[in-house]
Amino acid sequence: MDTIINKSTISQELSCTDRSSHAMVAMAPAAGLVLASLAVVLATTLWKAAVHLVWRPYAVARAFQRQGIRGPAYRFFVGNNEEVMAMRAATADDVLDLGSHDIIARVMPQYKAWVASYGKIFLSWSGYTPSLCVGDHDMVKQILSNKTGLYAKPNPGPNFLALLGKGLVFSDGDDWARHRRIVHPAFTMDKLKMMTRTMAECAGDMVRPWEALAAASDGGVARVDDVGQQFVELTADVISHTAFGSSYREGKEVFMAQRELQYIAFSTMNNVRVPGLEYLPTKINLRRRQLTGKVRGTLMAIIRERQAAAKEAKGYGNDLLGLMLEANASAGAGGQKAAAISMDEIIDECKTFFFAGHDTTSHLLTWAIFLLGTHPEWQQKLREEVLRECGGTGTPLHGDALNKLKLTTMVLYETLRLYGAVIMIARETTADTELGGVKIPKGTTTMIPMAIMHRDEEVWGADAGEFKPDRFQNGVGRAAKHPSAMLAFSAGPRSCIGQDFAMLEAKATLAVILRRFEFEVAPEYVHAPAEFLTLQPKCGLPVLLKLLGQ
Ligand code: HEM
Ligand SMILES: *[C@@H]1O[C@H](CO)[C@@H](O)[C@H](O)[C@H]1NC(C)=O
Ligand SMILES: *[C@@H]1O[C@H](CO)[C@@H](O)[C@H](O)[C@H]1NC(C)=O
């Protein structure tokens, strides 16, 4: 019954529209033209959709297959997204042994399965976009070193753009080069060394409550429920101080808003993108707009203050923001306006520091504490090194002394190899091209699975799965068969601009902790690395810290 009623209603409606449209055509020929062109637009849209959703995936997959590159089959519109979600769900509750670093089955199970079936280079589908996984170091080097703009950053989508704007991470071409020239002076080693004191002071503030806790306990042992959370706060403090100097309080407010934007971005990351959806007044979209406005307003106020101070010849300041403004002023000097960056662009760079430099560095520290907590012999070696090069608790930490911490550097590199915060990066081909003998069509996403490549036994040796910092004793370029095998900070012109910053911050923090405490991972720790944008312990890292010299 229902269906019959529905059908008749529909046909009635159809005939009504029919009639009215005839009437309109009679009354106004222009309206007929409008309708006709609408029909053309509709037909073109449908045709384009058919090409993108059906014909192209088929043709692309076939072209790759002829070159010997295979992969999981494309499914209409969703590609392999559903399988990926199912595979991730299936391993989401797995727990590893403390001594195991085999995180791939947990954090990228689809890649584990596909590498096993199809090899290091295979084709999969993110929705209807072809995604070529490139797990070969030579090919990756070609992708990351190519400066012609052939391998561009993929469009990150509205959520990530709200998060970062077009800062260094997502810009390309001339825009990127212009930004990089302005941002680079803030990250040179001589400038970073001046920030070491701030870094160590922030770390000192973090451990003071630990010391009090330990001193008040019977055995002199403090329990910190989640040292990862403490590092999240620490790195936020450090970036607020080093980026904004005396305005760090406002800077930290910006950071809180950015953190919420990051949650929003992640919660919608696996949705297939439909253009225009971001403009609907949904709860999430409204909140995103509100937060974005707050971030912008606060940062603008800080920058205006600096510009005013500079006008009064007080200088821009020695923090990241001041150094960027100074570089901008000299880039723009002599009428070279095209080399300078605008207010909005500098705001985007500030947001980028929070996003790119905060979680990543905090997780480096968390994983280093995990590895040192489970390898007491290395912990002791590092403690001796810190006491030798930097002195005891009373001695202030200087950049020069920190740069002499060779074993600490090796441990940090090994941490980044096994537990680097970024497990994969992507580039999109902007033209048809050839890579390592493989023809790749324009619009293909090339995926670089760093976490997998860091465990490649052909490159790192049979002990690739083990924690062995000694492999880095002759430097990062000699640790593996391939000179740029280490990809935690990426490689080439677009490698991480903050890597020295992160390493220095990590060394300062480890030095502060090592000279005061002996620590171990608490027995309740669950070893379940998880990826929420960055790689982190799923349930936090509880530790026990014993106060030394008491
Ligand atoms: C352990 C800590 C860190 C890790 C593992 C890390 C990792 C990375 C990686 C893998 C990239 C390349 C991304 C891509 O090509 O898609 C990158 C780029 C970048 N990182 Fe970091 N990063 C860290 C710390 C920092 C810090 C502290 C900052 C700044 C304060 C920072 C700022 C940036 C920026 C601006 C880029 C984009 C560079 C460009 O495209 O020119 N990072 N980082
Ligand atoms: C970048 O890729 C293009 C196309 O494969 C190639 O012609 C060019 O030589 C590459 N440039 C560099 C610097 O590798
Ligand atoms: C950068 O310099 C240019 C040219 O000197 C100037 O117009 C612009 O306002 C500056 N940007 C910022 C954020 O101060």
Side-chain angles (χ1 to χ4, degrees):
M1 264 298 274
D2 277 0
T3 36
I4 294 173
I5 290 174
N6 282 343
K7 265 186 193 157
S8 64
T9 340
I10 289 168
S11 64
Q12 228 173 26
E13 269 171 13
L14 277 181
S15 57
C16 285
T17 12
D18 262 9
R19 235 175 285 140
S20 57
S21 63
H22 281 305
M24 273 164 62
V25 172
M27 280 190 298
L33 267 181
V34 168
L35 280 182
S37 41
L38 272 181
V40 170
V41 168
L42 187 68
T44 322
T45 310
L46 280 175
W47 171 248
K48 272 193 189 153
V51 167
H52 275 282
L53 301 179
V54 183
W55 182 79
R56 191 167 173 270
Y58 169 80
V60 167
R62 247 183 79 98
F64 274 113
Q65 201 162 34
R66 275 199 222 102
Q67 306 181 75
I69 288 169
R70 299 171 307 135
Y74 168 74
R75 295 201 24 220
F76 180 73
F77 193 63
V78 293
N80 302 122
N81 292 13
E82 286 174 353
E83 302 158 66
V84 171
M85 279 193 252
M87 280 193 258
R88 288 182 73 120
T91 59
D93 295 328
D94 290 2
V95 172
L96 302 179
D97 290 338
L98 281 198
S100 164
H101 312 301
D102 188 12
I103 64 168
I104 305 302
R106 267 198 50 83
V107 298
M108 38 206 311
Q110 72 275 29
Y111 281 82
K112 177 139 190 150
W114 293 336
V115 168
S117 311
Y118 310 112
K120 287 180 192 176
I121 300 157
F122 61 83
L123 182 74
S124 67
W125 296 90
S126 168
Y128 47 89
T129 307
S131 170
L132 184 73
C133 176
V134 183
D136 174 90
H137 282 278
D138 286 318
M139 285 163 84
V140 164
K141 184 162 186 224
Q142 284 188 50
I143 293 175
L144 293 179
S145 63
N146 200 298
K147 289 182 185 168
T148 59
L150 185 60
Y151 298 98
K153 292 274 174 124
N155 179 352
N159 285 342
F160 278 93
L161 283 180
L163 195 59
L164 296 183
K166 278 273 182 182
L168 263 184
V169 173
F170 290 134
S171 56
D172 264 312
D174 293 342
D175 267 346
W176 168 78
R178 182 167 52 88
H179 279 240
R180 185 109 183 177
R181 271 195 297 273
I182 304 275
V183 179
H184 179 258
F187 286 92
T188 53
M189 190 44 89
D190 57 323
K191 296 287 191 286
L192 294 178
K193 272 193 207 158
M194 296 196 289
M195 300 173 192
T196 327
R197 233 185 80 192
T198 310
M199 292 171 174
E201 275 167 9
C202 290
D205 290 345
M206 175 187 68
V207 299
R208 214 151 291 130
W210 306 358
E211 283 177 301
L213 211 61
S217 82
D218 281 345
V221 176
R223 198 200 127 85
V224 173
D225 287 334
D226 181 9
V227 77
Q229 194 51 45
Q230 307 258 319
F231 290 145
V232 168
E233 298 305 325
L234 169 69
T235 51
D237 264 351
V238 168
I239 196 74
S240 306
H241 276 97
T242 51
F244 300 119
S246 57
S247 316
Y248 71 90
R249 275 201 196 82
E250 296 91 319
K252 191 123 190 235
E253 279 170 31
V254 167
F255 151 73
M256 297 309 281
Q258 280 295 104
R259 180 141 74 179
E260 194 177 336
L261 281 166
Q262 185 167 322
Y263 285 134
I264 293 178
F266 187 72
S267 65
T268 53
M269 192 170 73
N270 280 328
N271 300 356
V272 174
R273 200 177 308 146
V274 182
L277 225 55
E278 67 267 29
Y279 300 110
L280 296 180
T282 60
K283 206 171 150 193
I284 277 194
N285 285 342
L286 290 176
R287 181 73 183 145
R288 187 168 57 214
R289 226 166 293 164
Q290 188 189 12
L291 290 169
T292 313
K294 182 185 164 62
V295 168
R296 192 178 135 76
T298 311
L299 287 177
M300 209 133 97
I302 301 177
I303 295 167
R304 290 243 163 83
E305 220 171 89
R306 294 302 177 86
Q307 288 169 334
K311 269 212 190 92
E312 292 167 23
K314 286 183 196 148
Y316 286 105
N318 252 335
D319 43 36
L320 296 176
L321 176 65
L323 294 166
M324 286 194 298
L325 287 170
E326 198 178 285
N328 178 61
S330 34
Q336 288 245 321
K337 266 215 140 117
I341 72 178
S342 68
M343 175 74 98
D344 278 326
E345 288 173 322
I346 215 151
I347 287 176
D348 286 350
E349 289 312 337
C350 294
K351 295 196 225 171
T352 299
F353 292 161
F354 278 124
F355 171 76
H358 160 240
D359 267 5
T360 45
T361 313
S362 75
H363 301 327
L364 168 59
L365 280 162
T366 306
W367 291 120
I369 292 292
F370 163 72
L371 288 166
L372 290 172
T374 49
H375 294 84
E377 70 290 1
W378 275 100
Q379 187 183 140
Q380 187 52 28
K381 276 196 234 183
L382 262 51
R383 183 171 298 112
E384 282 160 15
E385 181 182 65
V386 167
L387 292 172
R388 188 173 63 241
E389 302 295 347
C390 307
T393 323
T395 331
L397 289 169
H398 291 295
D400 288 323
L402 290 174
N403 279 337
K404 285 192 199 134
L405 300 176
K406 192 181 163 202
L407 297 173
T408 309
T409 308
M410 285 158 53
V411 165
L412 287 171
Y413 276 134
E414 186 67 339
T415 308
L416 286 164
R417 182 181 73 87
L418 291 168
Y419 295 94
V422 184
I423 60 175
M424 187 148 76
I425 54 176
R427 294 291 187 271
E428 193 178 301
T429 51
T430 54
D432 291 352
T433 184
E434 202 180 299
L435 175 67
V438 180
K439 286 202 182 83
I440 305 176
K442 176 183 171 177
T444 304
T445 311
T446 52
M447 303 298 282
I448 303 173
M450 286 114 85
I452 292 181
M453 299 174 77
H454 283 168
R455 290 165 169 77
D456 189 339
E457 294 187 359
E458 282 174 31
V459 177
W460 293 90
D463 59 3
E466 290 163 43
F467 174 74
K468 287 208 170 161
D470 278 330
R471 71 177 90 243
F472 288 104
Q473 65 182 332
N474 295 318
V476 67
R478 299 232 185 102
K481 279 190 194 137
H482 203 283
S484 49
M486 175 67 179
L487 292 166
F489 293 114
S490 181
R494 297 214 62 164
S495 63
C496 179
I497 204 167
Q499 52 187 299
D500 290 341
F501 183 101
M503 291 295 279
L504 212 51
E505 180 178 353
K507 283 179 214 177
T509 309
L510 285 184
V512 164
I513 296 174
L514 282 164
R515 33 188 211 185
R516 282 178 179 77
F517 303 99
E518 211 171 79
F519 53 89
E520 59 184 78
V521 171
E524 349 38 291
Y525 169 67
V526 178
H527 192 28
E531 193 209 12
F532 308 109
L533 288 185
T534 44
L535 187 74
Q536 50 202 280
K538 186 181 173 187
C539 314
L541 177 64
V543 292
L544 303 171
L545 302 122
K546 185 174 189 309
L547 203 51
L548 289 170
Q550 302 294 310

